[in-house]
Amino acid sequence: MQYPAAITLSVRNRKEDLYMENKLYDVKPFNSLSKKVSSASSNQGSLDMSLSLMIKALIICDDEQVKSALEELLKAVKNLDIHFENKVSFVTENYSLAIIVFTGEEQQTILDIEKVSNSGASIILIGDTLPQGLLRKALQLSIKDVVPLETAEDELIPAIQQIANQLSQHANLAPVISVINGKGGSGASFITNSLGQVISDRSEHEIALFDADLQHGSLADSMNLKPSYYLDDALEEVKELDSTAIKSMMVRRNNLSLLPVKAYSQLNRLAHIDQNRVNQLLGKLRLSYRLMLADLSRGVDSLSVPIIESSEHVLIIIQQNIVSIREAKELVEQLKNTMGIDGEKLHIIVNRFSDKYSTISVDDIRKTIGINSVFKISNDYQLASSCTELGKPLNELSNSKHLTEELLEIIKNIMPLDIKHDSKPQGFWAKITGKK
Ligand SMILES: Nc1ncnc2c1ncn2[C@@H]1O[C@H](COP(=O)(O)OP(=O)(O)OP(=O)(O)O)[C@@H](O)[C@H]1O
Ligand SMILES: [Mg+2]
């Protein structure tokens, strides 16, 4: 079969006459990909991209130039763990994605596709002017996408992203809701804890709380729980953890479980967070629970970044004063412009709201920060300190009705989970009669 010039050249490249060939001909596809990629990666302003779940990918490519161009291109993709092979011998690892590059050897590529498709991985085929036989085989084995080498720089990452989205829907990953302080001390921990209680009280599902405050992690105390397993233990052994192990190690109250953090963790083993491990842990937690709420009291740091990137919604906690609003506006800019977070995912919670002590209205806040979705939680010192200081559950406090209604308003509007408006029936008789 007669291959197009560019492909024939790449086959000759492996015959060590690369330099001469490149001088004599224009090795367009492979060179253009490496050139474009190196200029893109030197672009300081370019945003990294994060997949919705951790994807282990096998790349089959026997051309060194293309290999290094792909490596360079995919460096910017977080949550993508890539391994290269020249050809498929035996797919031992559990790959969910395979990227197979056609460099001229039709029979070998068909063989590679056949072997990989047996392993169940989704396949993307890369190559220009693909031979009919290969295309037919690719269709028969229902590969997910074909990306021309020449436009791979623009098209490959969106193709991977699309497969990751399909896989995460299939994997039924729990949505993540992050609760982040616009300014320290605004009430992120109190609100994360209260939301967790109100939701778990009204849902049969397993809900997880993730304490991501490496300095003053306080959720275990305010939930009155005595943990023996912490975030740093989970990160240490994340590779071995499965759904049952995670669930049995987390400390729980009914269907609300907590992954706590030891106070001053950033001074020891967690000083250098391995974001890859954080992403793996998030993936495993999201497979084991139906909703995950993360307390990001400290704001944006190396632990909270991967959590924010995985979040369906980010609740920014502020208070009703100028400094807090100004800092929240700054945070919103950072989240949108530096991290590339969609503004639709951002919500403002004005905590300790009071008409009596401040004239700043919800509408003023909405306009100043530039976020439409704004909720308020009233100031109630006695109630808040019963929860945060004494670790009392909300449903045992007689004065928690108003706070519960305000929290339900947030939940109803943004939580991607069906919950009952009333709390679950309590006690044995209630369970069998269905009455409260
Ligand atoms: N709505 C509220 N009304 C009255 N007091 C509140 C309210 N929300 C929180 N508080 C109080 O404010 C204090 C700080 O709350 P919390 O610990 O939740 O804040 P945080 O943002 O997590 O702080 P940090 O930045 O230190 O982690 C606590 O004493 C809590 O009881
Ligand atoms: Mg806190």
Side-chain angles (χ1 to χ4, degrees):
M1 161 146 200
Q2 195 62 41
Y3 296 124
I7 291 167
T8 329
L9 276 178
S10 81
V11 177
R12 290 197 206 130
N13 286 351
R14 290 192 303 280
K15 294 178 188 158
E16 293 179 1
D17 52 2
L18 172 73
Y19 179 69
M20 277 311 292
E21 295 277 4
N22 286 354
K23 284 208 151 242
L24 289 172
Y25 305 96
D26 176 22
V27 196
K28 205 170 138 224
F30 298 165
N31 278 347
S32 66
L33 175 65
S34 16
K35 247 185 264 152
K36 277 191 198 167
V37 165
S38 60
S39 68
S41 62
S42 62
N43 176 3
Q44 295 291 311
S46 68
L47 289 176
D48 281 358
M49 204 277 301
S50 183
L51 301 178
S52 48
L53 82 167
M54 189 77 191
I55 297 274
K56 203 164 173 183
L58 175 65
I59 303 185
I60 308 296
C61 179
D62 61 2
D63 186 293
E64 291 305 318
Q65 262 185 297
V66 181
K67 231 186 233 180
S68 50
L70 286 174
E71 200 168 15
E72 194 59 44
L73 175 71
L74 298 178
K75 249 203 253 173
V77 185
K78 292 187 193 164
N79 269 358
L80 181 68
D81 184 11
I82 54 175
H83 299 264
F84 284 94
E85 296 276 354
N86 281 345
K87 60 177 187 165
V88 181
S89 36
F90 184 61
V91 190
T92 45
E93 300 270 352
N94 216 354
Y95 294 104
S96 41
L97 171 69
I99 298 171
I100 300 181
V101 185
F102 171 64
T103 57
E105 307 276 0
E106 184 179 357
Q107 283 317 313
Q108 183 59 48
T109 308
I110 290 179
L111 232 105
D112 289 341
I113 294 179
E114 277 171 347
K115 283 185 185 161
V116 172
S117 77
N118 284 337
S119 78
S122 300
I123 303 174
I124 296 176
L125 178 61
I126 299 185
D128 286 321
T129 343
L130 300 169
Q132 283 298 316
L134 176 56
L135 269 179
R136 258 193 88 196
K137 197 74 195 172
L139 282 173
Q140 282 165 3
L141 294 174
S142 38
I143 65 157
K144 294 278 180 204
D145 214 337
V146 178
V147 176
L149 192 52
E150 201 172 8
T151 53
E153 193 223 346
D154 300 320
E155 292 180 24
L156 181 59
I157 294 180
I160 295 175
Q161 206 168 11
Q162 202 176 351
I163 289 176
N165 290 343
Q166 286 165 2
L167 289 172
S168 64
Q169 276 167 13
H170 191 64
N172 230 345
L173 287 181
V176 178
I177 311 283
S178 293
V179 183
I180 187 166
N181 263 335
K183 183 177 182 329
S186 299
S189 301
F190 170 62
I191 289 176
T192 313
N193 176 9
S194 305
L195 278 172
Q197 292 187 38
V198 170
I199 296 170
S200 62
D201 264 358
R202 285 159 182 77
S203 161
E204 302 298 330
H205 299 306
E206 296 282 335
I207 315 291
L209 295 187
F210 188 122
D211 194 338
D213 180 351
L214 297 180
Q215 197 163 347
H216 296 124
S218 59
L219 287 184
D221 280 344
S222 56
M223 291 171 73
N224 213 354
L225 295 169
K226 303 272 172 285
S228 54
Y229 189 81
Y230 295 89
L231 173 65
D232 45 356
D233 303 314
L235 288 176
E236 184 91 10
E237 54 194 48
V238 66
K239 281 209 165 84
E240 293 85 52
L241 280 180
D242 61 20
S243 169
T244 325
I246 290 182
K247 280 190 169 158
S248 66
M249 280 157 179
M250 298 219 338
V251 63
R252 59 192 289 143
R253 188 201 280 156
N254 304 322
N255 53 335
L256 183 62
S257 299
L258 169 71
L259 183 59
V261 65
K262 272 187 194 142
Y264 297 105
S265 286
Q266 92 279 22
L267 298 179
N268 52 47
R269 279 188 291 165
L270 289 181
H272 303 289
I273 292 283
D274 178 345
Q275 294 201 344
N276 219 10
R277 282 175 182 253
V278 176
N279 278 319
Q280 284 181 37
L281 179 60
L282 285 178
K284 292 189 177 187
L285 284 168
R286 294 176 67 191
L287 280 172
S288 314
Y289 291 87
R290 282 296 292 274
L291 177 73
M292 192 180 116
L293 294 164
D295 172 7
L296 313 183
S297 286
R298 291 292 114 193
V300 180
D301 61 18
S302 55
L303 174 59
S304 61
V305 165
I307 302 178
I308 295 171
E309 284 172 341
S310 303
S311 295
E312 190 142 328
H313 295 283
V314 180
L315 314 186
I316 301 169
I317 313 302
I318 69 162
Q319 292 194 11
Q320 210 179 358
N321 60 64
I322 306 283
V323 181
S324 189
I325 295 169
R326 196 186 297 140
E327 291 200 15
K329 187 174 165 60
E330 197 60 43
L331 173 66
V332 166
E333 299 290 309
Q334 294 286 328
L335 292 174
K336 288 210 275 199
N337 302 335
T338 312
M339 288 182 65
I341 307 292
D342 181 356
E344 293 288 305
K345 293 183 174 180
L346 305 179
H347 311 267
I348 304 289
I349 315 280
V350 192
N351 189 28
R352 310 193 73 163
F353 187 88
S354 161
D355 285 325
K356 263 197 228 151
Y357 300 111
S358 174
T359 53
I360 301 173
S361 70
V362 163
D363 216 36
D364 295 333
I365 293 170
R366 191 174 281 132
K367 282 186 191 133
T368 313
I369 303 182
I371 295 285
N372 272 333
S373 176
V374 180
F375 301 89
K376 52 187 186 182
I377 298 287
S378 301
N379 189 48
D380 189 336
Y381 177 76
Q382 213 188 352
L383 176 66
S385 50
S386 303
C387 292
T388 53
E389 318 297 324
L390 307 176
K392 290 263 181 3
L394 276 182
N395 60 10
E396 287 178 16
L397 293 167
S398 57
N399 54 345
S400 64
K401 190 164 179 277
H402 187 61
L403 170 69
T404 304
E405 275 165 9
E406 289 177 326
L407 291 166
L408 281 169
E409 186 62 22
I410 303 172
I411 295 164
K412 217 170 56 196
N413 279 282
I414 65 167
M415 299 285 166
L417 194 74
D418 281 341
I419 61 154
K420 300 182 197 93
H421 201 76
D422 299 321
S423 58
K424 270 188 315 228
Q426 305 285 317
F428 179 70
W429 287 111
K431 267 187 192 140
I432 53 170
T433 58
K435 285 185 194 147
K436 280 220 277 179

